[in-house]
Amino acid sequence: MAIHFQRIIPAKQILRRILPSLESTNVPKGHVPVYVGETQKKIFVIPISYLKHPSFQNLLSKAEEEFGFDHPLGGLTIPCREEAFIDLTCSLNSS
C-alpha cells in the first residue's frame, strides 16, 4: 500500500495561510475551520485528521482546482453541497 504525500503538503500550506487569519475564532486544538457550500457558505470545524482521508483528499483537490490557494473567504473553502459534506464527515466520524 503506497502512501501519497502530495495532497498532505498542499493541505499544510493551506493551514499555514488560514490559521493566522482565524486567530480570533475559537477553534479547538487539533481542528480546522472550513467553509462549505456551492453558493452560500457555512462554516464547519473539523478534526485535522480528516484532511488525510482519501475521500476528504478528493474534496481538497476540487477546492484546489476551483480556488487554487487563494480562497475568497480567507479560510479553506470546500465547493460541495452541504449535505454531501455532512454525510462525509459523519462517515469519517464513525470509522
Side-chain angles (χ1 to χ4, degrees):
M1 184 167 129
I3 298 174
H4 299 283
F5 290 106
Q6 72 252 20
R7 293 292 177 212
I8 294 173
I9 293 170
K12 286 182 181 179
Q13 290 172 347
I14 291 170
L15 289 175
R16 283 189 202 114
R17 289 187 64 178
I18 66 171
L19 289 179
S21 66
L22 294 170
E23 288 176 351
S24 63
T25 306
N26 290 329
V27 177
K29 185 175 183 177
H31 291 72
V32 62
V34 295
Y35 295 94
V36 178
E38 293 174 321
T39 54
Q40 186 174 350
K41 308 295 186 214
K42 182 175 179 182
I43 193 163
F44 290 86
V45 178
I46 60 165
I48 290 176
S49 61
Y50 286 6
L51 298 176
K52 66 182 178 182
H53 193 277
S55 298
F56 205 88
Q57 292 285 316
N58 290 335
L59 289 179
L60 290 175
S61 294
K62 290 178 184 177
E64 182 182 4
E65 288 172 14
E66 186 163 330
F67 302 113
F69 292 109
D70 185 27
H71 293 265
L73 298 173
L76 179 58
T77 306
I78 305 291
C80 74
R81 292 181 311 110
E82 187 178 323
E83 297 82 18
F85 184 81
I86 291 170
D87 289 345
L88 173 63
T89 56
C90 286
S91 70
L92 293 177
N93 194 32
S94 65
S95 61

